[in-house]
């Protein structure tokens, strides 16, 4: 943690940064069902997880990928990237939510075009429910329910893809007209790139409108903030997972925010399992409930509503301690100093002097996405 600034020095810095200041922004079932979740999830009431089992799982999975794709061509799921291997690790799908591109490829050596057609159809029909898909294996899964990418990809006729016949027909069209090749390891890979529709983020966000509205009503947290957090954390990817063991749309960490919500809001022991947090409704409820705790418990001493708003956003990423240490090492003195500042000065401090660079950028992103939401861009 960086050395705290003395109040006099801090005030002097703020007085000279008028151009840096910004304007005001505003006008249960816990049983895991796949192998990945089982290795991550604690038993009901158990606070810790089997990290050794998780490490073994990831190592085994990575080893399988390397055998097929080589050491330099390993892709794994993350916050903004959906990656799923199928066909005995011979084929994989990669959805890049930042670029809006879906890449499906295969290194199968026998009848590779048919393997690619099957992989494309499977990707287009992947279910929207993350509980149905194990991201850390090449296991098959049922192609049932509403597809995850429904409305985000259009076929050669400009039609949305919901049924198997349309998915297969589009897959065949792509292989016959858009096929590409590249060298992977000592073999040839066949692949296609599929552009997502321009408003793919909005298409995903619409799916959660009712859930967001209900969570906002239940906990008294503004809808634009919930949307902005989801956009920042996962780009509305319900399969999102991070190396920090954060899961789902709002990237909730089970042993910290999740455990706090269970104990202080839900009045139950333990912590949510990853499978619980992969459920969009439960994830949004948990993430929003944590904002309720930030607002009404951890940061309740902040008097100005807008200063509180900025501090809540920063704390969601970098913790309450990170917010306060921006102002002083001593919590009481930090709160006093924070309350002496105007909201735009609090914003400047949190985006310029927070001990963690990620937290500084995080507040900027979320407030920008809030503006986008209120301008109809999300």
């Amino acid at each position: 943690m960086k050395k705290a600034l003395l109040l006099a020095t801090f005030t002097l810095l703020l007085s000279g940064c008028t151009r840096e200041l910004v304007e005001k922004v505003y006008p249960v079932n816990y049983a895991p069902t796949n192998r990945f979740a089982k290795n991550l999830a604690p038993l009901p009431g158990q606070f810790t997880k089997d990290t050794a089992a998780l490490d073994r799982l990831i190592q085994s999975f990575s080893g399988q990928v390397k055998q097929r794709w080589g050491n330099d061509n390993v892709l794994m799921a993350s916050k903004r990237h959906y990656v799923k291997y199928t066909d005995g690790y011979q084929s994989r799908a990669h959805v890049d939510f930042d670029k809006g591109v879906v890449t499906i490829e295969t290194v199968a050596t026998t009848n590779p075009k048919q393997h690619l057609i099957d992989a494309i159809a499977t990707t287009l029909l992947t279910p929207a429910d993350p509980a149905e898909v194990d991201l850390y294996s090449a296991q098959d899964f049922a192609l049932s329910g509403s597809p995850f990418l429904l409305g985000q990809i259009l076929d050669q006729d400009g039609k949305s893809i919901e049924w198997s016949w349309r998915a297969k027909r589009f897959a065949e069209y792509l292989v016959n007209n858009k096929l590409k090749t590249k060298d992977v390891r000592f073999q040839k890979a066949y692949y296609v790139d599929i552009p997502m529709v321009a408003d793919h983020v909005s298409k995903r966000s619409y799916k959660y409108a009712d859930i967001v509205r209900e969570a906002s009503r239940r906990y008294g947290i503004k809808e634009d903030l919930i949307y902005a957090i989801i956009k920042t954390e996962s780009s509305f990817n319900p399969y999102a997972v991070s190396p920090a063991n954060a899961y789902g749309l709002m990237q909730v960490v089970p042993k910290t925010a999740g455990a706090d919500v269970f104990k202080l809001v839900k009045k139950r022991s333990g912590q949510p399992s990853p499978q619980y947090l992969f459920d969009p409704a439960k994830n949004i409820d948990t993430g929003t409930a944590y904002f309720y705790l930030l607002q009404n418990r951890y940061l309740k001493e902040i008097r100005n509503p807008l200063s509180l708003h900025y501090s809540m956003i920063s704390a969601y990423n970098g913790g309450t301690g990170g917010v306060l240490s921006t102002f002083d090492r001593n919590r009481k003195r930090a709160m006093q100093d924070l309350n002496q500042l105007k909201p735009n000065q609090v914003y400047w401090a949190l985006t310029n002097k927070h001990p963690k660079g990620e937290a500084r950028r995080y507040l900027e992103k979320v407030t920008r996405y809030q503006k986008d939401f209120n301008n109809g861009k999300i």
Side-chain angles (χ1 to χ4, degrees):
M1 183 179 296
K2 293 181 179 180
K3 184 176 181 181
L5 294 172
L6 294 174
L7 178 59
T9 304
F10 179 70
T11 304
L12 179 62
L13 285 171
L14 288 178
S15 65
C17 63
T18 304
R19 295 182 182 180
E20 300 281 354
L21 304 181
V22 298
E23 297 179 355
K24 183 177 179 181
V25 171
Y26 288 118
V28 176
N29 176 19
Y30 305 96
T33 59
N34 64 42
R35 188 168 62 98
F36 174 49
K38 285 179 180 177
N39 280 278
L40 290 175
L43 296 172
Q46 181 183 354
F47 192 78
T48 59
K49 64 180 182 296
D50 186 352
T51 55
L54 172 59
D55 290 341
R56 289 193 298 270
L57 171 65
I58 299 301
Q59 289 175 3
S60 174
F61 172 73
S62 178
Q64 295 280 2
V65 174
K66 290 177 181 178
Q67 286 183 16
R68 289 289 186 181
W69 297 84
N71 294 341
D72 299 328
N73 200 22
V74 175
L75 290 178
M76 298 180 71
S78 63
K79 293 171 62 172
R80 294 170 173 269
H81 296 263
Y82 168 89
V83 178
K84 173 58 181 168
Y85 290 84
T86 56
D87 192 22
Y89 292 95
Q90 294 183 102
S91 304
R92 71 183 177 193
H94 174 205
V95 183
D96 186 329
F97 293 106
D98 286 329
K99 295 181 179 179
V101 176
V102 179
T103 300
I104 306 166
E105 51 192 335
T106 185
V107 290
T109 55
T110 303
N111 199 5
K113 291 184 179 181
Q114 186 59 51
H115 283 264
L116 185 57
I117 288 172
D118 293 340
I120 294 170
T122 296
T123 302
L124 296 173
L125 297 174
T126 295
D129 182 1
E132 301 298 324
V133 180
D134 184 355
L135 295 179
Y136 287 79
S137 78
Q139 290 180 345
D140 293 334
F141 50 89
L143 304 180
S144 59
S146 178
F148 170 43
L149 294 173
L150 182 64
Q152 300 174 61
I153 292 176
L154 303 180
D155 69 6
Q156 68 270 32
D157 298 324
K159 302 293 184 181
S160 188
I161 303 164
E162 185 172 6
W163 310 109
S164 58
W165 68 267
R166 189 178 289 279
K168 182 178 179 181
R169 190 184 70 158
F170 186 42
E172 292 173 345
Y173 166 83
L174 290 170
V175 170
N176 291 331
N177 295 276
K178 304 292 183 179
L179 185 65
K180 302 176 183 178
T181 62
K182 62 182 178 181
D183 292 329
V184 173
R185 209 177 179 191
F186 305 111
Q187 57 200 353
K188 181 175 291 187
Y190 293 78
Y191 71 101
V192 295
D193 289 323
I194 310 173
M196 303 174 75
V197 297
D199 62 342
H200 62 92
V201 176
S202 296
K203 294 287 186 184
R204 290 193 301 281
S205 71
Y206 292 152
K207 297 179 180 180
Y208 310 113
D210 290 342
I211 301 173
V212 169
R213 189 175 301 112
E214 174 59 24
S216 172
R217 182 201 63 78
R218 182 180 300 123
Y219 298 110
I221 303 299
K222 291 181 178 295
E223 288 185 39
D224 62 351
L225 175 57
I226 301 173
Y227 275 109
I229 292 294
I230 298 174
K231 175 70 165 62
T232 304
E233 290 287 355
S234 67
S235 193
F236 298 92
N237 170 23
Y239 287 90
V241 59
S242 78
N245 290 337
Y247 306 100
L249 292 164
M250 295 185 75
Q251 285 292 278
V252 178
V253 179
K255 68 179 181 179
T256 53
D260 283 357
V261 168
F262 265 30
K263 179 181 179 181
L264 301 173
V265 179
K266 303 298 183 182
K267 306 300 181 183
R268 64 181 308 140
S269 61
Q271 65 189 56
S273 69
Q275 194 68 15
Y276 181 96
L277 295 174
F278 277 132
D279 181 307
K282 292 183 175 68
N283 186 281
I284 292 174
D285 176 85
T286 305
T288 307
Y290 188 65
F291 267 105
Y292 171 85
L293 290 176
L294 290 172
Q295 177 176 271
N296 296 284
R297 186 181 180 94
Y298 300 133
L299 296 170
K300 66 179 182 180
E301 296 174 33
I302 299 177
R303 293 192 292 266
N304 185 284
L306 188 55
S307 295
L308 173 59
H309 176 77
Y310 293 144
S311 299
M312 288 163 53
I313 294 171
S314 184
Y316 192 84
N317 175 264
T320 303
V323 170
L324 296 178
S325 65
T326 301
F327 303 95
D328 198 281
R329 288 182 178 178
N330 179 275
R331 179 186 176 92
K332 183 177 181 180
R333 191 177 300 118
M335 192 64 71
Q336 292 173 347
D337 292 350
L338 192 160
N339 278 324
Q340 291 176 2
L341 300 173
K342 295 179 180 180
N344 56 0
Q345 293 175 315
V346 171
Y347 181 96
W348 184 89
L350 292 173
T351 55
N352 287 270
K353 298 300 180 181
H354 192 289
K356 295 182 179 179
E358 179 184 350
R360 296 195 291 269
R361 295 186 294 272
Y362 188 84
L363 178 55
E364 292 177 338
K365 288 180 181 179
V366 173
T367 51
R368 182 171 70 251
Y369 289 147
Q370 279 189 278
K371 290 180 180 179
D372 289 344
F373 174 83
N374 290 316
N375 291 329
K377 296 180 180 179
I378 296 181

